[in-house]
Amino acid sequence: VDARKDEAYEAGHIPGAIRCDYWRLDAYLDAVLPSIIGAEKVIVYCNGQQCDDSLELCRTFTQTAQVPWGSTYLFKGGWEEWSAAKLPVETCWEDKP
């Protein structure tokens, strides 16, 4: 789950990541929950170690949305670590003409 702002997600995100802008939970939470409740692992990330949005989203998932703590993981290095390692990236514009 990508906890970054919409613009950052659209510009590039980890393949298969679900968008859930932490600062706009009201717009995303109801759509995200069916995909994560019951999942074996829910990995949440944001920009990197200096960003707490993913940590706060993990708390929201476990305390408010009843996602089990044992299945919720924080990717602390986040987008900075992923992109620095030159791992695969998806954008929202790849399929558009």
Side-chain angles (χ1 to χ4, degrees), residues 1-3 9 13-14 16-21 28 31-32 35-36 45:
V1 177
D2 189 322
Y9 177 90
H13 54 272
I14 295 173
I18 300 170
R19 180 189 329 208
C20 189
D21 180 344
Y28 291 104
V32 170
S35 297
I36 65 172
Y45 72 94

Side-chain angles (χ1 to χ4, degrees), residues 12-93:
H13 54 272
I14 295 173
I18 300 170
R19 180 189 329 208
C20 189
D21 180 344
Y22 175 71
W23 295 101
R24 297 185 57 229
L25 282 177
D26 56 326
Y28 291 104
L29 199 55
D30 288 341
V32 170
L33 288 179
S35 297
I36 65 172
I37 291 180
E40 187 175 322
K41 290 183 181 180
V42 177
I43 302 168
V44 183
Y45 72 94
C46 56
N47 285 318
Q49 293 189 18
Q50 302 302 316
C51 178
D52 290 333
D53 295 351
S54 54
L55 176 61
E56 294 304 323
L57 189 55
C58 284
R59 285 188 182 132
T60 298
F61 287 163
T62 58
Q63 295 175 357
T64 306
Q66 306 303 316
V67 176
W69 182 255
S71 66
T72 306
Y73 297 85
L74 174 67
F75 176 22
K76 190 171 185 167
W79 180 249
E80 289 175 354
E81 185 177 318
W82 186 272
S83 58
K86 300 194 184 318
L87 294 169
V89 173
E90 286 181 349
T91 68
C92 290
W93 303 290

